[in-house]
Amino acid sequence: MKEKYLINARIIDPKNKIDEFGGLIIDEKGLIKNVGKEVSNENLPNDAEKIDLKNKILMPGLVDMRVFVGEPGFEYKENFRTLSDAAVSGGVTSVVSMPNTDPVIDNISMVDFLKRRGRDKSKINIFPAASLTKNADGIKMTEFGLLKRKGIAGFTDGVRTVQDPQLMSRIMNFASQSDSLIMQHAEDNILSKGGHINDGEISTRLGLQGIPSLAERIIVERDLAFLEEYFCRYHILQVSSEKTVSVIRKNKKEGKIFTAGVSINNLSLNENDIGDFKTFLKLSPPLRTENDRLSLVEAVNDGTIDVIVSDHKPEDEESKRLTFAQSATGAAGVETLLPLALELFHNKLIKLDKLISTMTSNPSKILGIKKGSLDIGNEADLCVLDINKPWVVKKGELKSKSKNTSIENRKLQGQVLKTFVKGQLLFNRT
Amino acid sequence: MAVIKKSKAVKINQNHLLGIQDLSFSDISEILNEAKKFIKLNKSSSKKTDLLRGKTQINLFFEPSTRTQSSFELAGKRLGADVMSMNIVNSAIKKGETLIDTAMTLNAMHPDIIVIRHQDSGAPNLLSQKVNCAVINAGDGRREHPTQALLDALTIINRKGKVEGLKIAICGDILHSRVARSNIYLMNMLGAEINVVAPKTLLPHSIERLGVKVFNNMKKGLENCDIVMMLRLQNERMQGSFVPSPREYYEYFGLTPDKLESAKKDALIMHPGPMNRGIEIDTSLADDINRSVIREQVELGVAVRMACLKIFCKRTL
């Protein structure tokens, strides 16, 4: 591979507090050799491969901490190749894959399979998560130490919550030994049983059983109480309500060390968007009120929430063409994560460097991976962005194998033009 | 008949009857006016008309039902339609066919109208998107039961002359009740004042946003009411424990002569059926011909459903 000179770009790298015009050099091994204003048109070697970015934004490739791949078991919903195509078209270069496959990722032989498939079929970096409990059924804990040594980035039951408080306290106690990252999907299974959407006026009108926000808050409060006794690397995957935001803010203020994420869906949509039983908006955690949404935006701004994820959950048509109660939960979104998040910037709700950090440097720091920044020597995972380009989301144009987008026909501003992974140009919008 | 004015220009704006929420005031007036004409017909010796001759009506009941299903069946037959009631127990749905596939199959047989009852809220809406004929909701999950509310309105108008200005108490298991929701929308639109009376565990979230006053004390909730609408305690829909026992429920929320004292002297008792005697209603009150209009509700139900079938079937011609 020849050295590549990316020039005439607005470089944004929240980790290194860079926001300036300049360029970036990718060396022969695909690593970042230099970055900043000193890389310009004037000091280019004559034989270098030159890519003129025409004043567009050059930033680290996105790290998406919550993505569902269909392999193994649900290849008809999404496989590594389609996921990878979808991800790079949205500037996402690293993902944490959820363990809710068939079989569940709960033992070391599965990790080998995943790594091999991920390497052979996808172009992006796959950081697999394993389940907290065997078969994600909340009864027996998995082998944190052995799995971590095999390359597992974090542990979560994904779509499920560890309900048993005794088991959860032991998990947190034991996991600290291997310095494993525990990622909780916070929803009390008993309080949310039978529920489909937020418990509120809309659930009353639609005649659907509600999921109270208390179901989320109660698990977060429980786990944070455990954290006092059994300190470990603890992350709440997706927060959805104002009540939980207050709990997190209070605990962080008291000095507890943990992190929290939010789905772009909960930041951009509310329960009213469900309209006439749109099953693509049946999500977990559910979309809640506009008040809840605004509290989440504020929580991102003040650092209460660290990470924004796509919660990319591809579901085939047959799983969604059902009554709301019978329909599968989740929306595909890895390729619209960044453009939809930019809506929050264009609406002047979140500053650009803050927004980008929640999808690059913050998740990398939580995961302990050398991604999400333009550090010299890092693999050149990059994203080139036209921040103003208007476009309309059409499910037919999505690269993901499943087309269950939560934002069909939404007008967005900002589109990814190029994506590099390990120095290679893998996506180039024409 | 202050509420319902006759007007020939009125046209229903909907292709389907999915819920009261989709109807306008004039839609409702048209249905009720049409229904009144059928009350007489249903009392006469020759009950058959040929208004829907040549039309096909399919009843698709995914939940057990006696009165609603037979009411719709009779209504269709009296209008001269060919009525087929699908027996779900023996159908392909039990073999794993989805609602949409069933809908497409039935649609290929060119029905003019499908009457559906389903345990999932929104199922009629989904069906209506996939078929070419009119869809009538005969009850979906906890969401709506529009013909029940319409027949309740007709019963009230028949006895009290109007709905406007009346005070109506809806009592019991509001949480699981589609009848309560449809009635709240309809009676509000017709100008009634509505109290809901229930234990806190059987009230849905933010019910007051639907335009009702909430009472947990039945005597207070019934004060000066013209209509007392009792709901069935829907044990089959309950997951877990909502009330300690039928005995305790009856003590506080069962309709007894003592609690009925606080309503108006001429207050009517209504119940969509089937009743749990001795749980939500005292058995003597249920049978009191001076107070209870429960049998009249059933009678007018046929007329209301005839009106709905006629109006909505016409829409798709």
Side-chain angles (χ1 to χ4, degrees):
Chain A
M1 194 157 68
K2 258 174 36 174
E3 274 195 349
K4 290 190 190 79
Y5 283 69
L6 280 50
I7 53 161
N8 293 330
R10 176 183 167 193
I11 302 195
I12 300 184
D13 179 14
K15 186 192 165 200
N16 295 307
K17 299 201 165 45
I18 297 176
D19 185 348
E20 65 192 26
F21 282 90
L24 182 144
I25 308 171
I26 303 171
D27 73 10
E28 301 93 339
K29 293 185 204 129
L31 307 179
I32 298 173
K33 191 176 170 187
N34 198 4
V35 59
K37 50 179 174 278
E38 60 272 25
V39 182
S40 72
N41 217 354
E42 286 130 48
N43 49 23
L44 283 189
N46 286 336
D47 59 339
E49 185 183 343
K50 184 178 89 174
I51 302 172
D52 187 345
L53 297 182
K54 296 173 184 156
N55 295 328
K56 298 293 186 280
I57 291 175
L58 176 64
M59 54 180 262
L62 269 57
V63 180
D64 188 346
M65 273 184 81
R66 189 173 165 89
V67 161
F68 292 82
V69 200
E71 291 195 48
F74 306 107
E75 290 82 359
Y76 56 96
K77 297 184 183 191
E78 189 90 285
N79 59 38
F80 277 113
R81 189 181 52 75
T82 53
L83 171 73
S84 161
D85 289 346
V88 292
S89 74
V92 175
T93 53
S94 298
V95 302
V96 176
S97 60
M98 292 295 109
N100 308 88
T101 47
D102 186 16
V104 170
I105 311 302
D106 63 0
N107 64 72
I108 47 182
S109 63
M110 292 300 304
V111 184
D112 283 336
F113 167 82
L114 265 192
K115 281 167 75 177
R116 209 166 47 243
R117 290 288 296 176
R119 188 189 58 219
D120 295 349
K121 298 290 170 190
S122 88
K123 307 159 196 160
I124 57 169
N125 307 295
I126 309 279
F127 293 96
S131 60
L132 279 168
T133 62
K134 294 262 184 215
N135 200 33
D137 57 12
I139 296 168
K140 276 185 78 181
M141 61 178 99
T142 47
E143 299 161 314
F144 304 119
L146 296 176
L147 284 161
K148 189 173 178 237
R149 212 189 292 162
K150 272 278 175 190
I152 286 294
F155 296 85
T156 175
D157 278 354
V159 295
R160 299 199 196 139
T161 309
V162 177
Q163 186 70 34
D164 178 351
Q166 187 185 53
L167 177 65
M168 191 61 202
S169 63
R170 285 181 184 159
I171 284 174
M172 291 171 79
N173 201 3
F174 189 89
S176 61
Q177 185 181 315
S178 53
D179 198 29
S180 296
L181 174 65
I182 305 299
M183 306 187 287
Q184 182 75 286
H185 174 70
E187 183 175 273
D188 188 287
N189 297 334
I190 298 165
L191 276 175
S192 62
K193 193 173 165 194
H196 303 293
I197 62 172
N198 179 45
D199 194 23
E201 186 187 343
I202 303 292
S203 67
T204 296
R205 283 186 184 275
L206 292 180
L208 294 168
Q209 192 171 323
I211 302 172
S213 55
L214 267 175
E216 176 178 276
R217 173 181 158 183
I218 216 161
I219 293 293
V220 169
E221 288 199 320
R222 179 197 75 177
D223 286 3
L224 293 180
F226 287 149
L227 198 63
E228 276 174 37
E229 309 293 322
Y230 314 111
F231 182 75
C232 66
R233 288 167 66 204
Y234 179 78
H235 176 75
I236 303 154
L237 278 171
Q238 300 177 99
V239 180
S240 70
S241 74
E242 188 180 11
K243 280 183 178 147
T244 318
V245 165
S246 325
V247 171
I248 294 172
R249 187 175 285 134
K250 182 169 155 277
N251 276 274
K252 282 195 168 181
K253 213 169 257 175
E254 285 168 3
K256 262 182 219 163
I257 295 169
F258 64 97
T259 51
V262 63
S263 159
I264 190 62
N265 293 316
N266 292 90
L267 279 178
S268 311
L269 300 159
N270 67 33
E271 56 178 357
N272 296 309
D273 291 302
I274 293 163
D276 191 16
F277 298 96
K278 286 185 203 143
T279 57
F280 286 9
L281 285 111
K282 182 179 178 182
L283 305 170
S284 176
L287 298 173
R288 298 200 190 269
T289 64
E290 178 63 5
N291 233 356
D292 286 311
R293 186 185 77 85
L294 292 172
S295 78
L296 294 168
V297 171
E298 198 196 326
V300 170
N301 266 322
D302 71 8
T304 304
I305 288 175
D306 308 272
V307 173
I308 301 176
V309 298
S310 71
D311 190 24
H312 176 72
K313 193 161 181 289
E315 290 294 346
D316 60 310
E317 209 172 335
E318 295 315 315
S319 309
K320 285 288 189 181
R321 262 171 34 125
L322 297 166
T323 63
F324 204 88
Q326 291 167 354
S327 140
T329 302
V334 70
E335 53 202 294
T336 48
L337 169 63
L338 180 57
L340 184 54
L342 286 174
E343 203 178 70
L344 298 162
F345 160 72
H346 290 299
N347 292 340
K348 300 189 169 55
L349 291 170
I350 301 176
K351 286 210 175 84
L352 189 58
D353 60 336
K354 174 62 118 185
L355 196 61
I356 292 175
S357 70
T358 62
M359 295 176 285
T360 56
S361 49
N362 289 1
S364 305
K365 192 176 167 195
I366 292 165
L367 293 162
I369 57 176
K370 282 177 74 178
K371 297 285 173 195
S373 78
L374 303 181
D375 286 351
I376 292 171
N378 267 12
E379 287 175 335
D381 295 350
L382 310 167
C383 161
V384 178
L385 171 71
D386 180 344
I387 197 163
N388 291 318
K389 171 94 180 291
W391 64 291
V392 180
V393 181
K394 294 280 174 207
K395 63 180 180 185
E397 291 166 15
L398 294 178
K399 300 276 198 307
S400 179
K401 199 164 190 175
S402 297
K403 312 296 180 192
N404 54 320
T405 170
S406 59
I407 50 165
E408 168 77 344
N409 291 328
R410 192 152 168 141
K411 291 178 180 129
L412 298 180
Q413 196 181 349
Q415 202 168 34
V416 171
L417 300 179
K418 294 181 198 317
T419 304
F420 295 84
V421 179
K422 294 172 186 149
Q424 282 189 312
L425 180 62
L426 293 182
F427 174 75
N428 196 9
R429 196 177 296 279
T430 45
Chain B
M1 300 274 153
V3 175
I4 301 155
K5 289 207 181 89
K6 272 204 169 175
S7 150
K8 278 185 183 160
V10 167
K11 275 268 160 22
I12 296 256
N13 293 316
Q14 305 290 327
N15 290 322
H16 310 283
L17 178 57
L18 302 178
I20 300 294
Q21 287 178 95
D22 306 327
L23 299 179
S24 67
F25 184 80
S26 59
D27 294 343
I28 289 160
S29 305
E30 196 188 356
I31 295 170
L32 293 178
N33 278 332
E34 197 66 50
K36 275 186 222 154
K37 298 179 198 160
F38 290 118
I39 300 177
K40 274 191 215 118
L41 178 80
N42 285 335
K43 282 182 178 158
S44 66
S45 58
S46 173
K47 302 177 179 67
K48 192 122 177 161
T49 70
D50 59 359
L51 286 164
L52 294 187
R53 191 166 61 191
K55 304 284 180 235
T56 306
Q57 172 193 340
I58 298 178
N59 293 338
L60 197 54
F61 278 63
F62 291 84
E63 269 187 342
S65 158
T66 343
R67 66 202 69 219
T68 307
Q69 187 169 355
S70 48
S71 183
F72 266 111
E73 198 167 326
L74 215 50
K77 284 179 174 162
R78 285 185 183 170
L79 291 169
D82 296 313
V83 184
M84 181 179 83
S85 288
M86 294 269 295
N87 187 349
I88 302 299
V89 181
N90 298 330
S91 80
I93 291 139
K94 287 279 165 196
K95 300 173 194 158
E97 190 175 70
T98 65
L99 177 63
I100 288 183
D101 286 336
T102 308
M104 302 308 272
T105 307
L106 294 177
N107 197 44
M109 300 176 193
H110 301 291
D112 299 280
I113 204 152
I114 295 179
V115 178
I116 178 177
R117 165 168 290 191
H118 200 282
Q119 63 277 9
D120 289 345
S121 301
N125 307 48
L126 182 65
L127 185 72
S128 72
Q129 292 160 15
K130 306 292 170 187
V131 295
N132 302 325
C133 65
V135 172
I136 292 190
N137 181 3
D140 65 324
R142 307 169 172 191
R143 195 182 71 105
E144 283 239 35
H145 192 350
T147 56
Q148 177 70 43
L150 287 163
L151 75 86
D152 288 343
L154 189 64
T155 309
I156 294 171
I157 291 165
N158 219 22
R159 286 294 187 109
K160 299 277 184 189
K162 63 184 172 73
V163 172
E164 193 179 359
L166 296 184
K167 200 166 168 184
I168 301 174
I170 305 178
C171 313
D173 184 356
I174 312 284
L175 178 67
H176 297 98
S177 176
R178 52 195 175 215
V179 175
R181 286 170 175 79
S182 284
N183 263 312
I184 289 170
Y185 302 133
L186 182 61
M187 301 307 165
N188 253 329
M189 219 184 317
L190 296 179
E193 191 185 322
I194 304 165
N195 290 351
V196 296
V197 182
K200 288 179 181 174
T201 49
L202 290 175
L203 281 167
H205 201 289
S206 307
I207 184 74
E208 68 288 349
R209 297 287 295 271
L210 271 55
V212 297
K213 277 195 201 138
V214 177
F215 292 87
N216 306 122
N217 179 306
M218 194 156 181
K219 277 194 159 178
K220 281 189 184 151
L222 294 193
E223 256 169 37
N224 286 319
C225 280
D226 302 278
I227 308 289
V228 180
M229 232 180 239
M230 298 306 298
L231 298 171
R232 191 168 61 87
L233 204 57
Q234 301 201 42
N235 288 307
E236 78 281 4
R237 285 186 207 280
M238 292 188 184
Q239 298 180 336
S241 180
F242 288 85
V243 291
S245 69
R247 192 167 63 181
E248 174 141 348
Y249 183 80
Y250 184 71
E251 177 67 25
Y252 291 95
F253 294 96
L255 186 64
T256 55
D258 170 52
K259 291 184 199 118
L260 190 60
E261 284 281 293
S262 62
K264 280 193 184 152
K265 287 278 162 282
D266 59 348
L268 301 176
I269 300 169
M270 303 178 79
H271 195 299
M275 281 183 279
N276 296 312
R277 288 170 187 264
I279 296 177
E280 71 248 357
I281 189 163
D282 175 88
T283 193
S284 66
L285 282 180
D287 297 329
D288 182 348
I289 48 164
N290 296 315
R291 309 298 296 268
S292 163
V293 290
I294 296 171
R295 261 171 290 173
E296 194 171 322
Q297 288 174 273
V298 178
E299 182 193 335
L300 299 193
V302 180
V304 159
R305 282 160 187 139
M306 287 169 83
C308 292
L309 290 170
K310 184 190 161 201
I311 289 167
F312 285 92
C313 195
K314 282 272 155 68
R315 281 290 304 171
T316 51
L317 288 180

